[in-house]
Amino acid sequence: MVTCSADGKPNTTVISQVYYVDETHAALSFQFFSKTIRNVRENPRAYVCVFDIRGRAHWVLQLEFQLSETEGPIFDAMDMQIEAIASMTGMSGIFKLRAADIYRVLSVERLQY
Amino acid sequence: MDFIACNTMIPGKIVRFLEQYANVAFAGTRDRDLVPHGHNVCGWCVGADQRTMTAFVPEEFTPGLVEALQENGELAVTVEEFPSHETYQFKGRYLCDRAVRYDDVEIVDRIRRRFVRSLRAIFADVPEDVLNAFVSKPSLAVEFEVREIFLQTPGPGAGTRLIPPVES
């Protein structure tokens, strides 16, 4: 995921989960990345690349931050998935969902390789 | 105001991480409208003086990259070892770009072997050629001066600036 501060510094981070909300919205897991959180509150644009290893493709999403949810059905579903991802990758007790950040999807592009 | 000193040196411990353990990376830039863009990085190397890095970018992630770097010079590269998740982010200023050379391709080949080895446990049923293809051939080499290094390994210290150290 790439964001950019108001003074023009890009920030790149690895995120655990991109959650499908509906045709025009995605939710990203907010766990540790405080710089990302600060950036999207200053400058709401974000770039996410999702890897599809089996499909030999990358999915590129251009997003715009809308709001942060700390409870509700989206948060609960993501929290459960984060637990599963943490368990699979040996990160139980370290991965902890603080919020589900909801973004509007501006564009989606598939890059085949 | 740009207050970061320009004599940042990458510590030996992090150089060893980059050269021997790290196996996946991604770069971020931004355009003149502060819209962020991402660029997959298939390989990297540290300059002899430990003040610069070179990131190798596959063809499909080069559109807009050099234009953004020539316009504002800002580059962030995050490098991770999977599955340990040890991760560092390198922020710096663009110096130059060039076509890849034979020795760059050898570096990417080594990283591809490390990456595929690390994925085997999770993607046991996926053919070797599919895993190999994930680390694309490099097309462009981008050299940049490292000015800041951040710890991004998941945990309470994630986001801490390591270099230059944060004054308490």
Side-chain angles (χ1 to χ4, degrees):
Chain A
M1 176 181 191
V2 187
T3 58
C4 180
S5 62
D7 65 355
K9 284 198 171 190
N11 190 79
T12 310
T13 190
V14 180
I15 55 175
S16 302
Q17 189 182 177
V18 178
Y19 184 83
Y20 175 87
V21 176
D22 60 35
E23 284 185 353
T24 55
H25 294 85
L28 308 185
S29 57
F30 164 30
Q31 296 173 82
F32 315 105
F33 43 108
S34 56
K35 183 61 181 168
T36 296
I37 297 303
R38 282 201 298 276
N39 282 356
V40 296
R41 279 153 181 74
E42 295 174 1
N43 169 14
R45 292 294 299 265
Y47 171 108
V48 167
C49 183
V50 183
F51 302 134
D52 175 10
I53 289 178
R54 291 173 199 273
R56 293 191 183 213
H58 305 298
W59 291 91
V60 171
L61 286 76
Q62 290 284 356
L63 305 174
E64 186 176 70
F65 176 71
Q66 288 199 320
L67 62 114
S68 196
E69 293 186 354
T70 54
E71 58 182 11
I74 295 170
F75 179 89
D76 291 342
M78 291 183 74
D79 193 34
M80 195 165 63
Q81 286 192 8
I82 286 281
E83 287 279 326
I85 292 166
S87 171
M88 268 179 61
T89 56
M91 302 301 279
S92 294
I94 298 173
F95 282 7
K96 171 82 181 144
L97 187 67
R98 292 186 186 180
D101 284 351
I102 314 293
Y103 289 78
R104 188 162 69 93
V105 178
L106 303 176
S107 68
V108 179
E109 184 182 6
R110 185 174 193 262
L111 299 177
Q112 193 74 42
Y113 61 83
Chain B
M1 184 174 71
D2 192 359
F3 58 90
I4 302 298
C6 301
N7 57 357
T8 302
M9 201 164 172
I10 305 171
K13 177 180 179 283
I14 296 179
V15 173
R16 282 192 294 281
F17 166 80
L18 290 167
E19 293 180 345
Q20 297 175 29
Y21 301 103
N23 52 24
V24 63
F26 204 79
T29 59
R30 56 93 172 171
D31 63 21
R32 67 178 69 241
D33 300 317
L34 302 187
V35 175
H37 296 277
H39 313 272
N40 199 12
V41 171
C42 53
W44 50 86
C45 63
V46 178
D49 62 1
Q50 294 182 213
R51 298 180 194 283
T52 64
M53 280 178 69
T54 301
F56 306 120
V57 180
E59 177 71 36
E60 62 267 27
F61 281 93
T62 57
L65 172 59
V66 173
E67 293 84 344
L69 292 171
Q70 288 178 345
E71 192 270 327
N72 60 69
E74 298 283 355
L75 181 66
V77 179
T78 289
V79 187
E80 176 178 356
E81 183 201 9
F82 183 85
S84 76
H85 297 293
E86 183 173 352
T87 309
Y88 301 93
Q89 181 174 201
F90 303 83
K91 291 190 180 185
R93 298 287 299 178
Y94 164 75
L95 293 174
C96 61
D97 64 272
R98 59 171 173 76
V100 293
R101 301 184 300 237
Y102 180 74
D103 52 332
D104 301 330
V105 176
E106 284 189 331
I107 290 170
V108 173
D109 287 346
R110 279 201 298 276
I111 290 167
R112 182 183 295 109
R113 286 194 291 274
R114 285 208 295 265
F115 184 69
V116 169
R117 214 165 37 234
S118 77
L119 283 185
R120 263 282 149 248
I122 293 177
F123 292 95
D125 60 326
V126 176
E128 188 93 359
D129 65 309
V130 174
L131 297 180
N132 280 326
F134 178 80
V135 181
S136 302
K137 290 179 183 168
S139 167
L140 184 73
V142 174
E143 187 179 359
F144 67 104
E145 176 187 53
V146 175
R147 294 191 171 188
E148 294 174 282
I149 305 174
F150 296 84
L151 177 69
Q152 289 199 185
T153 306
T160 304
R161 194 176 75 191
L162 302 175
I163 306 289
V166 179
E167 290 175 21
S168 53

